[in-house]
Amino acid sequence: MCGIVGYIGQKEANGILIDGLKRMEYRGYDSAGIAVLDKGSIFSLKRVGKVMELAKAQTKFHHHGPIGIGHTRWATHGNVSERNAHPHLSDGNRFAVVHNGIIENYLQIKAFLTEKNYRFTSDTDTETLANLIDYHYQKAPYLSFAEIVRKTLLHIEGTYGIAVMSKIFADEIVVARKSSPLLIGVGEGENIIASDAAAVARYTRCVVYLNDGEIASVRSDNFSITTLHENAVDVIRHELDWEIRDMDLEGYPHYMLKEIVEQPFVIENAMRGRFTADGCSAKFGGISLTPQELRTVDRLLFCACGSAYHACLAGKYLIEKYARIPVDVEYASEFRYRNAPLQRNTLVFVVSQSGETIDTLAALHEAKRRGYTVLGITNVVGSTIARATDAGIYQHAGLEMGVASTKAFASQITILSMLALLLARIHDMDAIAGLQYVQALKSLPAITNEILKLSDPIRMIAEKYYECERFLFLGRQAMYPIALEGALKLKEIAYVHAEAFPTAEMKHGPIALISDETVCLFIATQNELLDKTMNNIQEVKARGGKVIAIVNNDCIAWEVFCDEVLTIPEVHPGINPIVSVIPLQFFAYYIGILRGCDVDRPRNLAKSVTVE
Ligand code: M6R
């Protein structure tokens, strides 16, 4: 979703701004723009479409200077057009603003400012902010830049991450946040502000994250942060924990493929240092709860969105199976508003790759408001969710650039599987079973490496079916969330309608969809119920449907009844969901490629969803 970048230092801002915008392309956007301060005036350049278009236009843009702001926009208010792209300048061009989030009372503000003769040239909520800043400047020109922005923000309802520059205050950028991420990349004689660390990582590894309700005045050689209510803030500097090479394709045609292939390594990273010395259980340094405290937990609640929600659902099956603790999984967007009844000794987890998803953050706040301990599982160190939870577990999956989550999803289920083991060992699981579970987890990197070899066979299957328009994904128990994830990947990447059901649910309705134009993907790696699954496959075949089965044994019936069979290794049930998802990721990837889709930047999607 929208990206913000800003530069103040000694170098020419244009190139750094465009590079920063390119680094944030993976988040999803539809137009881009920059503004620079040149010889006392603000000049802006905007283009609809890719940052590349902006970069091309920039070669003929003859305005340069060491201070500027840039933005990639994901349209909310007003269509996709240059007029609506950011930065937005105030009437009279004194201030320029880039903004992520939504200003909910913008219509009232616009009406107020129109009365005061302010002119508007866009349909956006952001332009009202630029003009309101100007209005407050006109009212009190003696105030500092940060004070003018502060006064303005006190009138704003909604969410924002903003960066503001001005021709009046030519040596300063003011930034502020409320529910939309912002950070300052601290450099030598220069500072870069951004909504995503990817935009600053080439220039500095030292970042300071702004918290909600904070405002900062950033100059080339210093910055100061206070709260909107003028209280002092403890500034904490973080070191970025991922490698610059995560941002490069390293010879792969797409980030999605690169990230699928990285999974053995990512899974190993998720487990590193997290087994107990006796080799029979898992441990997480980030969870501050003692075994005694964990024993008192009667119920778990997981809140998440999208793929992270599917990971939680897989975690539910594993935790309930092994630890025998009831688990609820809620869409964070539902939980935040529905006042769900919660049992007293419930431990709440929020799970989010980006650590910035607004619904997940809201669910976190809701659970905390109600007095629950909230732990986090997130990939981004220092992200808002990481900082707002009581404690948590980092995924260490490295920066995920593909909009569709692959490696982060695998690492989330790996962690949840380890959590199932940890809780099971505290409850009823004996040491031998614990040892076997640990051995299974440790075998994951090698097994997932084996599964990566299915890439070519899966591509060949995709070549046969890529023109089909109807896919059903079916799986039982812990494979049901994997079916959901497989269907989500296909929808996101290839824009094909795909649905997922628990296998046995097919005959309760979805079977009506089966015809010779329907492709059913059975994730049939749940061997306890093989005969039942075989019956379901026959039901599809009897109605002319096509069957692709992912299996883990060499039962002769697969070849007889299925159109395509992909065999993966048979593994411990605690790691089965992790290995079963990889073929589905490849499948979505190849279908997307064959249909000519932009698999790394699917239409309408954003990497982290920071607006409601
Ligand atoms: O960053 P998060 O894990 O909180 O993101 C949650 C969802 O927005 C995300 O998983 C989304 O569904 C992805 N596009 C999945 O590929």
Side-chain angles (χ1 to χ4, degrees), residues 304-309 351-358 360 385 395 400 402-406 408 412 485 488-489 492 605-609:
C305 302
S307 293
Y309 173 86
V351 181
S352 169
Q353 185 285 129
S354 61
E356 301 293 349
T357 302
I358 198 157
T360 311
I385 287 177
Q395 296 179 226
E400 191 175 60
V403 164
S405 186
T406 52
Q412 281 164 353
E485 178 62 8
L488 180 69
K489 288 286 91 89
E492 289 184 300
L605 294 182
K607 183 63 185 163
S608 68
V609 182

Side-chain angles (χ1 to χ4, degrees), residues 140-156:
Y142 48 86
L143 291 178
S144 73
F145 191 7
E147 278 164 349
I148 290 164
V149 176
R150 186 198 315 276
K151 277 204 178 302
T152 306
L153 293 177
L154 293 175
H155 297 276
I156 296 295

Side-chain angles (χ1 to χ4, degrees), residues 89-203:
L89 271 65
S90 60
D91 190 0
N93 293 358
R94 267 184 286 263
F95 296 91
V97 178
V98 288
H99 164 226
N100 291 349
I102 291 176
I103 296 170
E104 285 165 3
N105 58 340
Y106 84 103
L107 285 176
Q108 292 98 299
I109 297 173
K110 197 167 179 173
F112 169 78
L113 291 169
T114 308
E115 283 250 301
K116 306 271 176 225
N117 295 325
Y118 274 90
R119 286 168 306 169
F120 289 83
T121 56
S122 80
D123 308 316
T124 64
D125 50 343
T126 304
E127 195 184 8
T128 56
L129 188 53
N131 278 336
L132 193 60
I133 292 171
D134 190 78
Y135 169 78
H136 281 283
Y137 164 71
Q138 304 265 27
K139 256 180 69 179
Y142 48 86
L143 291 178
S144 73
F145 191 7
E147 278 164 349
I148 290 164
V149 176
R150 186 198 315 276
K151 277 204 178 302
T152 306
L153 293 177
L154 293 175
H155 297 276
I156 296 295
E157 287 164 23
T159 57
Y160 53 79
I162 54 163
V164 192
M165 61 185 277
S166 170
K167 67 176 193 179
I168 312 292
F169 306 95
D171 59 350
E172 198 177 349
I173 295 178
V174 172
V175 295
R177 77 160 273 177
K178 182 179 166 200
S179 302
S180 195
L182 260 190
L183 58 91
I184 303 168
V186 184
E188 298 272 329
E190 61 181 10
N191 286 308
I192 306 164
I193 53 108
S195 52
D196 183 326
V200 308
R202 253 187 79 187
Y203 309 97

